[in-house]
Structure formats: structure tokens, C-alpha cells
Amino acid sequence: MDSELMVILEQLERDKGIDKETLIAAVEAAVASAAKKIWTVDKEEDVKVTLDRKTGKIKAWAGDEEIHSSEFGRIAAQTAKQVVIQKIREAEKDVVFGEYNARIGQIISGSVYRFERGNIIVDLGKAEALIPKSEQSNKEEFRQGERIRAYVLEVRRENRGPQIILSRAHPNFVKRLFELEVPEIYEGIIEVKAIARDAGERTKIAVYSKDDKIDCVGACVGMRGSRVKNIVTELHGEKIDIVRHSEDIKEYIQAALSPAEISQMQLIADEKRVNIIVDEDQLSLAIGKYGQNVRLASKLVGWELDIYSAKQWEEKQKTTDGAPTPQVGSLAMPDTHSSSPEDVSSVSAPDVTPSDEDSKEEEEQE
């Protein structure tokens, strides 16, 4: 019987991933608890229990005297069993917490288990996870039993077990998807410099290649848009703008605001603010729907971007009461105005195809 106990503990260690020493400590605590209930022991006297690691034999002492009793049987065993089960459950919770806490910042997959007050409960197999409504895209819908991928946002310790919080709206979810789809990013050849996202609507991602022979934008788009198309499909049609990062802030801003054509740009470096002048027919394009384009571009480059039409800019200068407008870093844009397709690529589903220039470039690479 004693040797069978050690076999059971070793089996639990293999099957549940719980350290055997943790289980032995639980058994010793259980027997000590049972001893205090069954045997006549001074309340102030400690009961010490040891389990022989080789034979599995259990011995109990009250002070320096070993306890012997024929009554230690069913009641003691039942008490020990209950405590052991409790310890095992606690240890299992610690195992689950440790496993998923180590995966914070990664993408995991599961199946939609149920819906609860707008939240999605995901079955991960070993545990359940939660995608709060605030971490969901308002353009996505899922059905019960459907497979789902999400970004591990945080893992909390709670009495009922670890609470695993997932997100599909976090900008890093898109970043991790690019790492999975683009080997050059995973290997560190291409670096994601910045990302700005309006979940369900649009994402702007700035990339940079450490190898001059590898085109960062082309690599992210993939042959005929294959790589980015998979990401757009995963995001249920969210538009993605892939921008070439540049240390030249003027070029970087120009690429970030694409497809709008910029006529003139004025940088105020100490305020990290930029006045951008565009033609009248480019104003709405530069600002975007509900200000989305300029808002995401501003977040991407880390500068405040103020958009003006040529007429609005003239009126602004007139209201300065003759005071000269700061000309720090003033730039008149070249005649081509807009960023080339090599600097930015914008895609959306279901029609995800690179521009003609991108297609030619990819065919030449082939």
C-alpha cells in the first residue's frame, strides 16, 4: 500500500505536470491534519509527519514521540484524500498560471465556448480565457465552436483559477500576425518600427529592413499580396497600410499620410508638430474618414500633424497679425507629391492585390 502511494504521486507528476515534492508535502500536511482530529494530542504540541521517498511509508510524531494508533484508518485516509485533492487543484492552477503567464504577448488559439454579456469565453483546452468586449473588433462576429486566435494580454491570479485575458483589438495582435506570416520579421531581418491601429477599420504599420537587398514593404505584402492577404482575412477585412520607415521625418510623414499628396510641409521640431499643406482636392483624403488617416499617421510617426488646404493656410497666416510664421524645418514637397508605391502599400479584403508597380517589382524578384 505504501509503495502504491509513491506510484500514484509519480503518475500525477507525469500526467498533471505537478512537482512530486509538492504532492508529498500535501500528503504530509493531510496526515498531520488527520492526526490532530483522531488522536489525543496536546493542542499546543506540533504534529510532524514524514513520508519516506523510497518506501512510501508514513510516520507521525507528537513532539519526540512517534504516534501509533489502530484508529488511523478510513477517517484519516478520507481526510488525507480531501486535502490532497485540494492541494492538487491548487498546484494545477499554478501550472496553468505559469504556462499562460509565460505566453503573455503571444498569439494563442482556441474555440469559442460561449458568450457572456458581450464577452467571448474561449476554450483553450487546459483552461478558459476571456476576450472582453473592449478588446474585440466591432466588425467581427464569431459563432459558438468556431476556431479563434487572439493576443494574450494578461493573466491574473484569482481564487477560482487563473483569469486569462485575450485581445483581438490590441495593435500588437497585428504585429504578431506579421511575425507569423513574414519570416523576415520573425528572423529579425525586417523590424516593425511602429504600429497604429483603429481595430476593425484600419492599421498603419511602419517597417524597416536591416538588409539593403530586402525590400521591407514587398516582403510584408508577399507575392501578389499573399502574405498580407492572410492577415487581412484573419482581421475580417481590416485595411492595412504598410509604410516604409525612414529616419528622415519628412519622408516618414509623407509615407504615413499616403495616399494623400502633400504640397508643403513645415516642421516645428521643439514641439514635435507639423503643419501640412495640401491641395483642396487632397484635403479630405489626407484627413480621412472621421479624421482616421491623419490620426493614425500622427500616432505612427509620433508627431502632431495639422492638415491645411492652401486656402486655409493663407487665412491662418493672415490671422497671425503680421507675426512671422515659424519656418523651422520648412519643406516644399517635390512635384511628384505622393509617396511612391515602394514606400507604402495599402490593402483590404476581399480584393487584396498590390499596385502595378509592386507586381512588376515582385515579378523582377522572381
Side-chain angles (χ1 to χ4, degrees):
M1 180 66 181
D2 293 336
S3 60
E4 289 180 2
L5 176 60
M6 294 304 298
V7 172
I8 292 171
L9 297 183
E10 290 172 359
Q11 184 70 31
L12 287 171
E13 184 179 38
R14 289 194 297 269
D15 295 347
K16 302 291 185 180
I18 306 170
D19 182 64
K20 185 170 69 175
E21 288 300 318
T22 301
L23 294 171
I24 290 174
V27 171
E28 291 174 343
V31 175
S33 175
K36 288 183 179 181
K37 291 182 179 179
I38 296 172
W39 296 310
T40 304
V41 178
D42 191 332
K43 293 183 178 179
E44 295 181 358
E45 194 169 24
D46 290 333
V47 175
K48 183 181 178 182
V49 174
T50 60
L51 188 152
D52 191 302
R53 270 64 170 170
K54 293 182 179 180
T55 64
K57 188 175 181 179
I58 299 174
K59 293 183 179 181
W61 286 269
D64 296 330
E65 183 182 353
E66 184 176 355
I67 300 175
H68 298 280
S69 174
S70 59
E71 295 181 11
F72 186 75
R74 183 182 58 82
I75 297 177
Q78 185 66 27
T79 304
K81 179 181 177 181
Q82 292 174 356
V83 176
V84 168
I85 290 174
Q86 180 183 355
K87 293 292 184 181
I88 289 174
R89 287 175 178 170
E90 291 175 358
E92 286 179 333
K93 290 176 183 178
D94 289 340
V95 169
V96 172
F97 177 86
E99 178 181 344
Y100 288 100
N101 191 58
R103 300 184 69 179
I104 290 177
Q106 299 179 13
I107 289 179
I108 60 175
S109 61
S111 59
V112 177
Y113 183 57
R114 67 177 186 276
F115 302 92
E116 192 175 273
R117 295 190 296 275
N119 304 323
I120 300 176
I121 309 300
V122 180
D123 182 5
L124 301 177
K126 293 183 179 180
E128 289 184 358
L130 173 73
I131 307 180
K133 190 174 182 179
S134 59
E135 295 297 334
Q136 300 173 31
S137 167
N138 55 10
K139 295 295 181 67
E140 295 180 337
E141 291 184 2
F142 294 94
R143 298 183 301 274
Q144 191 171 9
E146 186 176 355
R147 296 295 296 175
I148 187 171
R149 292 198 290 179
Y151 177 81
V152 183
L153 193 60
E154 64 174 315
V155 182
R156 306 170 186 162
R157 284 189 184 273
E158 295 187 358
N159 292 333
R160 60 181 180 178
Q163 182 70 55
I164 305 166
I165 308 298
L166 307 180
S167 174
R168 284 184 61 86
H170 199 282
N172 283 345
F173 179 52
V174 179
K175 181 180 178 181
R176 291 299 187 188
L177 288 174
F178 268 95
E179 289 179 359
L180 294 174
E181 290 292 338
V182 184
E184 293 86 349
I185 293 180
Y186 181 79
E187 295 168 2
I189 301 172
I190 294 176
E191 182 182 352
V192 176
K193 286 287 190 177
I195 187 166
R197 187 182 183 202
D198 187 355
E201 296 289 345
R202 195 181 205 98
T203 290
K204 287 182 181 285
I205 181 170
V207 292
Y208 169 79
S209 177
K210 298 176 183 178
D211 187 341
D212 295 337
K213 297 179 181 179
I214 297 178
D215 174 28
C216 56
V217 174
C220 291
V221 172
M223 192 63 62
R224 303 191 183 282
S226 59
R227 290 177 175 176
V228 73
K229 183 177 180 179
N230 291 336
I231 298 173
V232 171
T233 301
E234 174 66 37
L235 299 176
H236 293 202
E238 183 174 318
K239 296 178 181 178
I240 298 179
D241 296 341
I242 304 171
V243 177
R244 187 187 307 277
H245 180 270
S246 174
E247 294 298 330
D248 185 332
I249 190 61
K250 298 184 288 278
E251 292 182 3
Y252 190 21
I253 292 172
Q254 184 180 7
L257 277 174
S258 183
E261 297 179 356
I262 300 174
S263 299
Q264 189 176 359
M265 191 186 303
Q266 182 189 70
L267 275 65
I268 306 173
D270 57 344
E271 299 180 13
K272 295 199 77 173
R273 183 167 60 85
V274 187
N275 292 322
I276 297 170
I277 299 92
V278 299
D279 292 339
E280 195 70 38
D281 61 348
Q282 294 293 308
L283 184 61
S284 60
L285 191 60
I287 295 174
K289 185 178 180 181
Y290 305 118
Q292 183 187 79
N293 192 50
V294 66
R295 183 175 65 254
L296 291 179
S298 177
K299 187 181 295 184
L300 190 74
V301 302
W303 285 57
E304 182 182 346
L305 307 182
D306 296 327
I307 309 291
Y308 300 92
S309 67
K311 184 177 180 181
Q312 289 173 337
W313 181 245
E314 289 177 6
E315 292 176 352
K316 177 178 173 60
Q317 289 182 312
K318 289 178 182 178
T319 59
T320 58
D321 297 327
T325 305
Q327 295 296 318
V328 182
S330 179
L331 169 71
M333 302 305 294
D335 293 338
T336 52
H337 299 312
S338 64
S339 303
S340 68
E342 297 177 351
D343 293 326
V344 59
S345 179
S346 178
V347 294
S348 61
D351 182 18
V352 184
T353 56
S355 63
D356 293 337
E357 289 84 354
D358 284 335
S359 298
K360 292 177 182 177
E361 182 179 347
E362 291 165 359
E363 290 172 1
E364 289 174 358
Q365 290 177 351
E366 286 183 285

